[in-house]
Amino acid sequence: MSASKEVVPDWDPRSDEVLADQIAAYDGMRRRCPVAYSDYLGWSLLRHDDVVRVLEDHRRFSSVVSRHLSVPSGMDPPLHTAYRRLIERQFAPRRVDAFEAPCRAISVELVSRLRRGVAIDLVAELAQLFAVRVQCAFLGWPESLHEPLLHWVRRNHEATLARDTGAMAEIALAFDGYIGELLQARRDAGAAAPDDATTDLLRETVDGRPLGQEEIVSILRNWTVGELGTITACVGILAHYLGEHPALQQRLREDPDLLPAAIDEILRLHAPLIANRRIATMAVEIGGRRIEAGERISLIWASANRDEAVFGDPDAFRLDRDPEQNLLYGRGIHVCPGAGLARLELRVVMEELLKETREIALVPGWAPVRAIYPASGFSVLPMRVV
């Protein structure tokens, strides 16, 4: 019997109480039991210092948590290093900067289409559409993929929550089919292939050889799952917070230069990504708890970024925080390579939303529906745009 099976669970992260308000539940666990065991997540780390310790020690805490190839997020050095370099090239500042114009055009169109003066679901009418459209635009994917990707993301979330491995495999295969067709079209086009991030991957090499089909599909799958889910969550979280804080909303309309810091701070308060996984490679002790080699570890971003020991009052909104303490985009060798792109996308869509409206408000009597693990943010967000 493994050591983990002998540990009495400290909590159930899928209980109705936790899922009713994940952020509040993680706050409570951080104060009561900051290194907590559950059958579902293994060892959950809820304190900022403990999460940072794991992020910065890839020797004791491995990112190879899946049986399936995951480039590069599911790799450790030295294998991770070469793949990481080629990924970073896809998010070079020149490419990110050049994407501002198409991102703004998408934002302008979607914001202009929002129905004014009536209750709308901001997630369905803005957040999800924005996430899919900017993702496809950045990667050079056709508009015909918008609807299939929206459907794919919803199915993937449901299967992940249920831990339905059969459904997850089927969904992954469907995604691989989309990407396979896109890659083949570019191969057939040869020198006439579009100049975009997807074509670039076909030209990349690692250790002196071209990337294989499985490697390219893995990279694109990771980008897509990460981008669509988190950007959707971010837009909903930002709109909801500004709806709750009309004075801040107006301040940002009057001084949009404050938006980058405000966005990072709001997403510290309410994380768009709940957790990431690691596996202990050797027995370690964290917070007085012994974690054996091979046991699963969940890094709870949604708690670590609200740790009183680092941020004081976790609910206090401040624009002068040390950005190095904010784990919104991770830390260490696996820090999000697309952080610059995500920041640009969120800044632009919020600039347009605030510029083209007088007010974005919550709808009295129509409560938002919170997303549940592994998602964050809102599944339904009733708002009125004026």
Side-chain angles (χ1 to χ4, degrees):
M1 179 180 292
S2 71
S4 64
K5 292 181 180 177
E6 298 170 357
V7 178
V8 176
D10 300 299
W11 67 318
D12 179 2
R14 289 193 293 178
S15 69
D16 291 342
E17 180 183 6
V18 170
L19 296 181
D21 188 341
Q22 293 179 106
I23 305 300
Y26 301 149
D27 282 348
M29 284 302 297
R30 182 179 63 253
R31 295 158 186 157
R32 183 174 73 253
C33 184
V35 181
Y37 182 77
S38 69
D39 294 330
Y40 184 58
L41 295 181
W43 292 99
S44 292
L45 306 186
L46 296 114
R47 288 186 299 211
H48 189 278
D49 285 355
D50 293 335
V51 168
V52 169
R53 172 187 170 185
V54 171
L55 291 174
E56 295 182 343
D57 187 352
H58 54 78
R59 188 172 67 86
R60 290 183 175 85
F61 306 101
S62 173
S63 296
V64 185
V65 297
S66 172
R67 293 172 298 165
H68 305 289
L69 180 67
S70 180
V71 182
S73 55
M75 295 175 166
D76 297 325
L79 185 62
H80 167 269
T81 307
Y83 287 98
R84 175 71 188 207
R85 288 196 195 104
L86 72 88
I87 296 296
E88 288 176 346
R89 288 196 289 271
Q90 307 308 314
F91 296 101
R94 61 171 179 77
R95 171 168 275 165
V96 171
D97 292 344
F99 189 63
E100 179 162 352
C103 180
R104 193 169 298 278
I106 292 167
S107 301
V108 167
E109 180 188 345
L110 292 177
V111 169
S112 71
R113 284 166 42 186
L114 293 176
R115 292 170 293 150
R116 279 9 186 215
V118 298
I120 63 171
D121 176 8
L122 198 91
V123 170
E125 297 196 27
L126 178 61
Q128 289 180 343
L129 298 177
F130 176 74
V132 166
R133 289 192 57 177
V134 293
Q135 173 73 354
C136 286
F138 185 76
L139 293 176
W141 295 357
E143 292 184 6
S144 59
L145 269 184
H146 292 174
E147 279 303 318
L149 281 177
L150 281 170
H151 181 63
W152 181 84
V153 168
R154 294 181 190 120
R155 290 183 62 214
N156 188 59
H157 171 71
E158 292 168 359
T160 302
L161 179 63
R163 287 198 169 181
D164 185 339
T165 54
M168 290 167 69
E170 179 185 338
I171 292 164
L173 191 61
F175 181 87
D176 294 359
Y178 299 146
I179 304 309
E181 292 177 6
L182 292 172
L183 296 177
Q184 190 57 50
R186 282 164 168 75
R187 290 189 180 100
D188 292 343
D195 183 18
D196 55 37
T198 303
T199 300
D200 273 2
L201 289 176
L202 287 170
R203 300 167 178 161
E204 283 284 3
T205 62
V206 62
D207 295 333
R209 62 167 178 81
L211 286 175
Q213 179 84 355
E214 185 183 10
E215 292 166 320
I216 296 174
V217 170
S218 174
I219 291 169
L220 292 172
R221 187 191 303 116
N222 283 340
W223 285 354
T224 304
V225 173
E227 179 83 355
L228 298 186
T230 54
I231 292 296
T232 296
C234 286
V235 174
I237 290 166
L238 293 168
H240 180 265
Y241 191 86
L242 294 182
E244 285 189 322
H245 300 84
L248 174 62
Q249 182 182 144
Q250 189 57 33
R251 184 183 177 191
L252 295 175
R253 276 197 181 85
E254 295 169 357
D255 190 356
D257 288 344
L258 296 176
L259 262 173
I263 288 170
D264 277 11
E265 175 68 349
I266 292 168
L267 299 178
R268 178 198 66 79
L269 293 165
H270 186 163
L273 178 65
I274 294 295
N276 275 137
R277 298 182 294 162
R278 296 291 190 274
I279 289 179
T281 62
M282 60 186 73
V284 294
E285 184 174 299
I286 302 178
R289 308 295 295 269
R290 181 177 173 84
I291 300 175
E292 301 292 344
E295 292 193 306
R296 295 175 296 130
I297 297 172
S298 297
L299 309 178
I300 310 295
W301 309 110
S303 171
N305 247 359
R306 293 174 52 83
D307 190 340
E308 296 85 352
V310 175
F311 301 103
D313 179 359
D315 290 310
F317 175 90
R318 287 176 43 190
L319 291 174
D320 62 347
R321 294 193 186 277
D322 178 1
E324 291 299 314
Q325 298 293 349
N326 192 333
L327 301 177
L328 174 60
Y329 294 102
R331 183 179 291 190
I333 64 171
H334 288 287
V335 66
C336 177
L341 176 64
R343 284 190 165 106
L344 179 142
E345 291 170 348
L346 295 174
R347 172 180 60 80
V348 168
V349 73
M350 295 310 296
E351 282 176 353
E352 294 303 324
L353 183 60
L354 292 172
K355 184 173 70 175
E356 298 302 322
T357 62
R358 298 192 310 274
E359 179 186 30
I360 52 174
L362 301 177
V363 180
W366 190 3
V369 177
R370 298 179 187 273
I372 58 175
Y373 188 92
S376 185
F378 302 92
S379 298
V380 179
L381 180 56
M383 299 199 79
R384 182 175 288 110
V385 176
V386 180

